[in-house]
Amino acid sequence: MLRAWFREGVVYQIYPRSFRDTDGDGIGDLRGIIEKIPHIALLGATIVWLSPVYASPNDDNGYDISDYRAIMPQFGTMADMEELIAKLHARGIRLVMDLVVNHTSDEHPWFQRSVKKEPGWEDFYHWSPVRKNWTSFFGEAAWTFHPERKEWYLHLFSRKQPDLNWDHPRVKEEVKGILEFWLAKGVDGFRCDVINLLGKADGLPNGKKRLILTGREHYVNHPKVHGYLSWLRDEVFSKHDCFTVGETAFVDPKTALLYVGEDRRELDMLFQFDHMAADCHLVKWFVKKFRPMNLKKPLSKWQKGLMGRGWNTLYLENHDQARSIDRFADPALRYESATMLATMLYFQQGTPFIYQGQEIGMTNADFTELGEYKDIESHNIYKLARRLFLYSHKKAMRMLKHSSRDNARTPMQWNAGEYAGFSAATPWIGVNRNHAEVNVEAQIDDPGSIFAYYQKILGLRKKYDIIVYGDYEDIGFRQRRLYAYERRLGDDSLIVVCNATNKPIPFRIRRNLYGYDLVLCNAEGPAGAVLKPFEARVYLKRTPS
Ligand code: ISL
């Protein structure tokens, strides 16, 4: 694979609302991010991805944008943004912004004009004189009647997030203008929100009835999307040293290559969702028992599926997903869980994405009241579960506890202080009580901390090309409790062995480790014939050149 900075780099995702509040309103802000640049640099990340910071009524925490060229006042000013870009660059860190262009806010002037049917704006969004049966990602109908225009409009997310009509030629042009605006400010790339949903079938026909997302056959990976993306690539991305990562639910390696294949490169990489189903059926609300195989199978499938043909992203967490320790390991063994999961994932081929707090082993929210959840999706799903599935309050709350997006949105835990050093005032969403123990300050100078372990992984990635560019092969795939694989580059070899369970298991792999050095291990004491609970080891053999 060709070398590229975004393949060699490591991305740190910031959810600005919950990262660090400096002006005492309980909401994170850009100056808070500026203050914490040293933390990101110390970790060793080289790229920052910011969840949306644009002007927004915050129906969906910034994923409903009302002005793509303005900063949300709660977060700061354009001057703060410019300072952030400059200060990140001064530390050699690049910045990637969230690009949310499947939909806008209903308060965006474009939508207002479309509602009024101003000439040229009538079809800027998807309108229909009749109601269609599609359902939204947030558990409601996807078509809502607009009393002023007296027609129905499409919103795949909340009703305050109407979908843009990408067949309207001006939509593309407007997006091009927005991209150029931010590229001129020095931004280095874009994380493209729900980008494989842009294309909608002509005539917007009713969908086949389904339990979730009725209508999706009319917009998921619709062929039209490739026309829009290749246009953006030719017109904008290819003219800049920038990178794009698409958020794409419902792709398999074959459809993914239509976006990220080396021959097309509509996008540089994408987020697939297969491994996010390791503990659920189809959608995260239908929980199933987690088994290590459920994680290993999809990850391995993607490693093999894109090898030599496209580039993977490596992620376990983001602002939409519950914390990985709770989902895929054991919060009672926090250090072992966090470090094993990081080892298992970040030695694979692809660009690592680390979500804020993951580097210190933050765990799910400890909310007990419905009112503690702030996310619109959580509230919609709660209502739906009570109404449609006749869940009891207790059962619906259990569902939120397991899967709510707010699990990942509690404030970043900087220290053991009252609000975890996130803010001097009551935060917009509750701080996890375990911040007394789980926080940055407690880990930063401790060589045995999760943070220090992450630093080691990132250090190794910088040092050894094999971790970035080596080929991937499973070892003993059928051993259910073990996740082991080999990476190869030239004559060099790297072997990763992880006990994916909380019980000791024998160390048995079909590889001769003669000539290998143990370069990383998360357990104390000699690396023996037994793998301790969640023990992870990395062996490297280099041929002298
Ligand atoms: O979290 C999800 C539902 O349980 C996902 O389906 C999520 O909604 C989907 O991946 C799209 O996510 C992105 O677009 C949304 C926004 O709410 C998410 O935060 C964003 O990551 C709409 O813009």
Side-chain angles (χ1 to χ4, degrees):
M1 299 293 284
L2 292 176
R3 303 190 77 107
W5 59 264
F6 46 80
R7 291 180 170 165
E8 290 165 21
V10 172
V11 183
Y12 186 77
Q13 183 194 349
I14 292 180
Y15 195 66
R17 179 163 291 270
S18 302
F19 194 58
R20 165 78 181 124
D21 168 29
T22 56
D23 62 1
D25 61 356
I27 295 171
D29 46 50
L30 294 176
R31 300 224 66 81
I33 303 174
I34 294 172
E35 181 191 298
K36 297 297 184 185
I37 292 175
H39 173 79
I40 302 160
L42 193 64
L43 175 64
T46 55
I47 303 166
V48 164
W49 152 27
L50 284 190
S51 277
V53 294
Y54 315 95
S56 162
N58 281 313
D59 187 52
D60 185 20
N61 287 357
Y63 282 90
D64 48 321
I65 297 167
S66 51
D67 184 350
Y68 290 86
R69 290 181 173 83
I71 297 294
M72 191 189 305
Q74 290 175 329
F75 287 172
T77 63
M78 190 57 86
D80 295 331
M81 188 66 201
E82 285 161 359
E83 189 178 325
L84 173 63
I85 298 173
K87 291 204 163 141
L88 283 170
H89 284 173
R91 303 288 292 249
I93 300 172
R94 313 236 192 184
L95 181 75
V96 167
M97 297 206 33
D98 223 300
L99 179 75
V100 189
V101 289
N102 172 69
H103 44 268
T104 68
S105 163
D106 65 340
E107 295 179 35
H108 196 292
W110 298 339
F111 189 69
Q112 312 283 322
R113 288 187 195 128
S114 197
V115 166
K116 295 197 176 71
K117 288 192 173 175
E118 283 182 23
W121 295 91
E122 300 93 328
D123 301 327
F124 217 69
Y125 294 79
H126 296 286
W127 293 97
S128 163
V130 291
R131 181 188 189 151
K132 306 290 166 83
N133 68 352
W134 303 12
T135 52
S136 84
F137 280 75
F138 290 166
E140 301 172 306
W143 289 88
T144 290
F145 186 72
H146 199 287
E148 196 179 331
R149 178 153 159 167
K150 301 200 169 36
E151 281 189 300
W152 304 80
Y153 67 92
L154 170 66
H155 55 91
L156 293 181
F157 294 88
S158 94
R159 58 186 65 191
K160 286 184 68 63
Q161 292 168 298
D163 281 47
L164 285 162
N165 173 12
W166 273 77
D167 282 339
H168 192 299
R170 236 198 9 258
V171 168
K172 286 205 299 263
E173 293 292 345
E174 290 285 353
V175 171
K176 178 180 168 188
I178 293 163
L179 291 168
E180 275 166 355
F181 174 85
W182 287 104
L183 286 164
K185 291 217 178 281
V187 159
D188 302 288
F190 301 92
R191 174 268 188 189
C192 309
D193 193 64
V194 294
I195 204 71
N196 61 330
L197 310 185
L198 296 191
K200 276 64 179 196
D202 291 342
L204 307 158
N206 274 317
K208 196 175 101 195
K209 263 234 158 299
R210 299 176 194 266
L211 187 57
I212 56 146
L213 294 177
T214 294
R216 73 170 186 256
E217 66 276 24
H218 298 311
Y219 60 81
V220 171
N221 298 318
H222 191 280
K224 282 182 192 172
V225 70
H226 298 293
Y228 312 143
L229 288 178
S230 53
W231 186 86
L232 284 178
R233 173 199 61 205
D234 295 345
E235 290 285 317
V236 189
F237 300 132
S238 63
K239 297 182 175 154
H240 296 266
D241 178 24
C242 69
F243 105 98
T244 52
V245 48
E247 187 210 22
T248 52
F250 308 108
V251 289
D252 57 23
K254 197 164 151 233
T255 42
L257 285 169
L258 298 175
Y259 297 97
V260 301
E262 284 293 276
D263 49 337
R264 301 168 63 105
R265 281 289 279 286
E266 290 173 7
L267 299 164
D268 292 310
M269 56 187 94
L270 51 75
F271 296 121
Q272 55 83 18
F273 280 66
D274 283 348
H275 64 304
M276 289 293 111
D279 60 349
C280 59
H281 299 282
L282 199 62
V283 278
K284 62 187 177 189
W285 308 109
F286 305 131
V287 176
K288 76 176 176 205
K289 188 175 161 44
F290 171 74
R291 293 177 207 289
M293 213 36 159
N294 301 350
L295 202 52
K296 175 158 137 176
K297 249 193 216 155
L299 288 176
S300 154
K301 170 175 113 186
W302 279 88
Q303 286 293 301
K304 290 186 286 204
L306 297 195
M307 203 161 63
R309 299 195 286 166
W311 197 251
N312 269 299
T313 58
L314 306 174
Y315 80 95
L316 286 179
E317 295 189 11
N318 60 42
H319 64 293
D320 289 335
Q321 301 290 339
R323 294 284 183 178
S324 56
I325 296 178
D326 295 81
R327 296 179 69 185
F328 311 132
D330 182 355
L333 294 173
R334 222 168 38 79
Y335 172 82
E336 293 81 352
S337 298
T339 51
M340 184 281 290
L341 289 171
T343 314
M344 181 207 74
L345 184 73
Y346 294 133
F347 286 91
Q348 303 197 3
Q349 192 186 68
T351 298
F353 285 74
I354 301 169
Y355 177 67
Q356 67 184 44
Q358 190 186 332
E359 76 278 25
I360 54 166
M362 277 178 63
T363 53
N364 277 351
D366 50 0
F367 299 155
T368 51
E369 307 287 323
L370 183 59
E372 289 180 279
Y373 291 94
K374 305 295 173 200
D375 180 19
I376 178 169
E377 181 195 56
S378 300
H379 285 277
N380 282 354
I381 295 290
Y382 173 89
K383 279 183 239 152
L384 188 79
R386 299 284 319 255
R387 186 167 46 83
L388 216 62
F389 307 143
L390 303 175
Y391 278 19
S392 65
H393 168 72
K394 213 164 138 198
K395 190 162 178 200
M397 287 296 285
R398 236 188 354 255
M399 188 177 74
L400 293 189
K401 193 163 189 60
H402 185 274
S403 313
S404 167
R405 306 195 293 185
D406 282 343
N407 281 310
R409 298 177 180 184
T410 60
M412 178 71 184
Q413 295 165 200
W414 296 104
N415 61 42
E418 189 179 8
Y419 298 123
F422 163 70
S423 171
T426 311
W428 71 276
I429 189 169
V431 176
N432 193 317
R433 276 184 290 268
N434 70 10
H435 73 274
E437 183 200 337
V438 184
N439 65 68
V440 172
E441 203 175 270
Q443 296 193 22
I444 216 87
D445 295 319
D446 174 4
S449 66
I450 298 171
F451 184 80
Y453 193 88
Y454 265 82
Q455 285 179 306
K456 280 184 212 154
I457 295 183
L458 271 43
L460 287 168
R461 288 190 66 97
K462 277 190 193 135
K463 197 160 158 199
Y464 299 117
D465 263 2
I466 186 171
I467 306 174
V468 180
Y469 294 109
D471 283 350
Y472 173 98
E473 195 188 327
D474 288 306
I475 300 177
F477 185 78
R478 296 227 170 100
Q479 288 175 260
R480 283 178 292 119
R481 295 172 299 174
L482 195 77
Y483 195 154
Y485 56 89
E486 178 175 10
R487 306 286 309 281
R488 261 185 225 224
L489 190 67
D491 293 328
D492 292 355
S493 158
L494 180 116
I495 288 179
V496 177
V497 185
C498 298
N499 174 0
T501 74
N502 59 4
K503 308 238 160 44
I505 59 172
F507 179 86
R508 227 183 276 130
I509 61 161
R510 273 188 241 108
R511 286 290 192 283
N512 180 355
L513 290 174
Y514 180 78
Y516 283 82
D517 292 321
L518 182 68
V519 292
L520 187 67
C521 179
N522 67 350
E524 277 176 31
V530 170
L531 287 167
K532 301 187 181 93
F534 296 123
E535 181 169 343
R537 299 181 192 171
V538 181
Y539 294 92
L540 176 66
K541 185 174 77 175
R542 305 188 76 205
T543 331
S545 48

